[in-house]
Amino acid sequence: MKNKAGLVENIRERLKNPLIILTIVTVTIAIYISAVQISIGVNYFDVFSYLNVALFYAGMGPVNPDLLHGPFLIPFLTSLVFRAGFVSSNIIIIIDAIIFIFGVIGFYLLLKQRFNEIQSLCGCLIYISFPLIISWAASGSIDVPAISFSIWAIYLMVRGVEEHSKYLYLALPLFVLAVLTRYTAALLIFPMILYLAMGSALEKGLKTHLTHLLVAGALITPVVIYLYQKFKYISYLLLLMNASISNWRSIGMGDVAYNPDNLYYLHNLLNYMGLGPVKGSYYQLFSPSQAVPSILSYLTVVLVLCGLSIYVYSILKNKIEQVSQRDKKSLVQIVALVFLIILSLVSFFYLSYIITDILLFLTCLLSYKIFHHGKNSHLKIDLLFLCWFLTFFIMHSTIPMKVDRYFITVLPALAYFIILGLSVLIERYKLRINNKTWKTWGLYAVVGLIFLTSSTVTFMGHTPNTCLIKYIEPSTQWLEDYDPQCQEKVIFSDYSPAVSWSMKKMVIGGVLKDFKNTNEFSSMLTAAGAEYYIDALSEKKPVLKDYHVIKENGDIVIYQKNEDFES
């Protein structure tokens, strides 16, 4: 009985550990959102592309060569499971969920470098509750996995600089994994170098940190070269970086996502914190800019801005007190800082994001030099997160291709500043409650639970029962029964990645809106030798010259070439 009682007591103690609590909460949420996604099916265009590439990596079929320029890691991990004999779209959803859990744990460890345990737990719950996180975490996409690897790269960089340089051996590989998951993660190099350069880390880096980074780099270089030669992913990344400098204003012109407004993400910032009302469409959950922000979002912004204002004021006040007792050198530095800030703002609207990010880097470095002293021991990591937030915010804001999920790259930094602002207010004005446990846990626990509850309730209110793939799969199965030789025939579709995945063959993409009229589109199909055309996305199904409808299933319509239909 004593042993049993001791075991129960040990479990109770462990369950009081914020990391254990966070892990249980995160795993529960990951299982739930994975089950929902598996139930309704994959509903995102690019995920089918990753699945088709995974089939190609597993040696199970051909693929459009253009898809091999895309992200490598998630399709590769999925292909390993395919090789084991488990071929299902559920695999990529489960992989996403596992990496999401991995990322949340890493974010907790990263926040602990700045906050206490309960504050770090609250920050992670806020991060999980963001609509873009909870909706994309187990969708099969690459955005949340990329940010999960980015979190670990930053965490290991911080540990490597502050504690032991051995952590840097892992920081660079995690950075490479992030880049291989999503190419824009390459910009993480700005906040990473900034943290290495701030304070005494610069001198130490030349002797210790740089050595470890060079060793890790030497080990990774052969892998990068192999990927460059085999899959052309790195070359595509460099091409996009070059395009962003030379003709970035014209990128994506004519695309449905084209939006040259540099303040697009700022206008929708409240939506990215929380959505309301509870009921809404699934599309609004994946694209919060199409919905309305919740009351919680407005309240959070007010409280966080108050907290951050108090924090910034204290830093400025301490600096002013120092300047009055020292020479004029600090005034010159402050003037230079103001000049850099103004230059950065001008660059944001008129120049390449690369130039703006470089100016931002210099601004953060000079800010550290000016304001760092004994009372501001956390300024280094605060500037790290500021650089993280603005680096990606600037890039995604200035490139005209605007998609809500791109904002996922800045959400860890956004959660960081939310908990920073709230913690300043809570610690300064916390209630006089005698219960010690409540004083330690209560306020932060309530804040975290409010965010999490609001998010999960909204998610349940927006989730549909099914999606388009549920109609595509039976339609393609019908086609294979109708024409057992269709695998050898040319098939076009306006939703080619999904149809390719469903049929396990390469289906060519053809979208009606890219042509002047239906006759031109039909002529293209005929010239390409298309035996079948599968329309999934058109609101009004077209009448195609030389083709007849042979099957309708919901939004799915299958057309067959006339001569084959008549024979």
Side-chain angles (χ1 to χ4, degrees):
M1 290 295 293
K2 289 184 178 180
N3 290 338
K4 186 176 180 180
L7 178 62
V8 172
E9 185 63 27
N10 186 41
I11 292 174
R12 286 179 178 175
E13 288 299 318
R14 288 185 177 275
L15 289 177
K16 293 180 181 179
N17 186 325
L19 180 57
I20 299 297
I21 295 173
L22 176 65
T23 302
I24 293 173
V25 170
T26 307
V27 169
T28 302
I29 291 175
I31 292 173
Y32 172 70
I33 59 180
S34 298
V36 170
Q37 190 67 66
I38 290 171
S39 173
I40 65 176
V42 173
N43 65 328
Y44 182 58
F45 191 92
D46 284 1
V47 176
F48 291 110
S49 298
Y50 308 146
L51 288 167
N52 291 323
V53 172
L55 282 176
F56 174 76
Y57 289 161
M60 296 180 178
V63 71
N64 186 335
D66 291 339
L67 296 180
L68 298 179
H69 293 159
F72 166 79
L73 187 62
I74 298 302
F76 173 73
L77 294 177
T78 306
S79 72
L80 298 180
V81 183
F82 286 179
R83 286 180 180 272
F86 302 96
V87 181
S88 169
S89 60
N90 299 343
I91 301 301
I92 199 170
I93 293 171
I94 294 170
I95 289 174
D96 259 20
I98 292 171
I99 298 176
F100 163 65
I101 297 169
F102 174 69
V104 173
I105 293 172
F107 191 47
Y108 173 83
L109 297 175
L110 178 55
L111 289 180
K112 274 196 65 182
Q113 304 302 305
R114 171 65 165 85
F115 304 103
N116 61 35
E117 290 182 336
I118 183 58
Q119 290 170 339
S120 300
L121 172 61
C122 181
C124 287
L125 294 180
I126 292 172
Y127 168 71
I128 294 171
S129 71
F130 289 140
L132 285 170
I133 294 297
I134 200 168
S135 60
W136 287 98
S139 64
S141 69
I142 58 175
D143 303 272
V144 174
I147 207 62
S148 294
F149 290 125
S150 298
I151 287 169
W152 275 93
I154 291 290
Y155 167 67
L156 292 167
M157 169 63 74
V158 172
R159 290 289 298 272
V161 170
E162 300 299 332
E163 298 180 24
H164 198 292
S165 55
K166 65 182 180 180
Y167 291 104
L168 297 177
Y169 282 124
L170 295 175
L172 190 56
L174 264 297
F175 169 72
V176 171
L177 287 179
V179 175
L180 292 178
T181 304
R182 182 169 176 77
Y183 67 87
T184 54
L187 290 178
L188 201 68
I189 197 68
F190 282 103
M192 292 180 73
I193 293 178
L194 173 69
Y195 197 83
L196 191 64
M198 284 188 294
S200 60
L202 181 60
E203 292 78 14
K204 290 173 62 179
L206 295 176
K207 299 178 181 179
T208 309
H209 303 323
L210 188 59
T211 302
H212 288 79
L213 289 172
L214 288 175
V215 171
L219 295 174
I220 291 171
T221 299
V223 178
V224 175
I225 293 174
Y226 172 77
L227 292 172
Y228 176 82
Q229 295 177 336
K230 185 73 174 177
F231 302 108
K232 304 300 181 184
Y233 178 66
I234 305 300
S235 61
Y236 186 61
L237 188 159
L238 296 175
L239 176 65
L240 288 172
M241 294 291 287
N242 180 63
S244 70
I245 296 173
S246 59
N247 62 343
W248 59 279
R249 290 183 184 275
S250 63
I251 292 177
M253 188 173 291
D255 191 279
V256 67
Y258 180 80
N259 187 331
D261 182 9
N262 284 22
L263 299 180
Y264 172 83
Y265 292 109
L266 185 61
H267 294 325
N268 293 295
L269 185 61
L270 287 170
N271 301 59
Y272 300 138
M273 293 183 185
L275 298 179
V278 174
K279 292 293 182 181
S281 70
Y282 200 40
Y283 178 71
Q284 290 175 333
L285 193 65
F286 275 73
S287 300
S289 62
Q290 304 302 313
V292 294
S294 65
I295 297 176
L296 180 61
S297 297
Y298 288 101
L299 181 61
T300 299
V301 167
V302 172
L303 294 176
V304 169
L305 287 179
C306 290
L308 292 179
S309 297
I310 293 172
Y311 176 64
V312 172
Y313 173 76
S314 66
I315 293 176
L316 295 176
K317 182 181 178 182
N318 291 332
K319 185 61 183 178
I320 291 172
E321 293 174 352
Q322 286 184 340
V323 170
S324 62
Q325 303 171 6
R326 302 174 69 176
D327 58 16
K328 304 294 184 180
K329 180 180 178 181
S330 295
L331 293 176
V332 176
Q333 292 176 335
I334 291 174
V335 170
L337 178 62
V338 173
F339 175 76
L340 276 174
I341 293 173
I342 294 174
L343 201 59
S344 298
L345 289 172
V346 173
S347 175
F348 176 70
F349 288 101
Y350 298 104
L351 300 176
S352 163
Y353 74 83
I354 292 292
I355 296 174
T356 311
D357 282 341
I358 292 173
L359 291 172
L360 166 68
F361 175 88
L362 296 175
T363 301
C364 291
L365 194 59
L366 182 57
S367 298
Y368 180 80
K369 185 174 180 62
I370 294 173
F371 297 109
H372 174 69
H373 55 80
K375 293 182 180 180
N376 296 331
S377 58
H378 297 303
L379 184 61
K380 187 189 298 185
I381 194 168
D382 292 338
L383 288 172
L384 165 71
F385 273 94
L386 180 64
C387 185
W388 183 348
F389 182 95
L390 291 178
T391 294
F392 287 94
F393 178 84
I394 289 167
M395 187 269 290
H396 288 306
S397 295
T398 54
I399 289 183
M401 292 289 289
K402 303 288 195 304
V403 178
D404 285 347
R405 62 184 175 85
Y406 293 168
F407 201 74
I408 290 174
T409 56
V410 307
L411 290 183
L414 179 61
Y416 177 90
F417 286 110
I418 289 176
I419 190 60
L420 175 60
L422 292 177
S423 66
V424 169
L425 287 180
I426 290 174
E427 295 304 318
R428 185 163 180 165
Y429 302 109
K430 62 184 177 181
L431 301 176
R432 303 290 181 177
I433 299 176
N434 294 326
N435 188 306
K436 186 176 179 181
T437 302
W438 172 255
K439 284 184 68 175
T440 303
W441 285 79
L443 294 176
Y444 293 104
V446 168
V447 170
L449 288 174
I450 289 174
F451 271 91
L452 195 60
T453 302
S454 172
S455 178
T456 51
V457 169
T458 302
F459 181 82
M460 289 186 288
H462 285 66
T463 305
N465 296 322
T466 187
C467 64
L468 198 56
I469 189 62
K470 296 296 185 179
Y471 296 98
I472 291 177
E473 289 174 342
S475 298
T476 56
Q477 182 60 55
W478 178 91
L479 179 59
E480 290 174 342
D481 294 336
Y482 171 80
D483 182 358
Q485 282 77 45
C486 69
Q487 285 285 336
E488 285 73 45
K489 296 181 179 179
V490 177
I491 300 176
F492 273 68
S493 175
D494 61 348
Y495 202 3
S496 57
V499 178
S500 295
W501 165 252
S502 181
M503 299 189 71
K504 303 299 184 288
K505 78 179 293 301
M506 188 167 68
V507 174
I508 304 172
V511 183
L512 179 60
K513 69 177 183 178
D514 294 338
F515 296 81
K516 293 179 181 179
N517 50 54
T518 56
N519 286 339
E520 183 179 293
F521 180 65
S522 179
S523 298
M524 182 277 295
L525 293 176
T526 302
E531 304 291 335
Y532 298 99
Y533 170 69
I534 301 176
D535 189 300
L537 303 178
S538 299
E539 291 185 10
K540 184 179 180 181
K541 302 305 177 184
V543 176
L544 298 178
K545 181 184 67 173
D546 301 329
Y547 287 85
H548 284 74
V549 174
I550 58 172
K551 178 66 175 178
E552 294 185 43
N553 180 23
D555 290 331
I556 312 302
V557 175
I558 302 177
Y559 298 80
Q560 185 180 19
K561 199 172 182 181
N562 281 350
E563 58 188 44
D564 296 328
F565 179 82
E566 292 169 358
S567 64

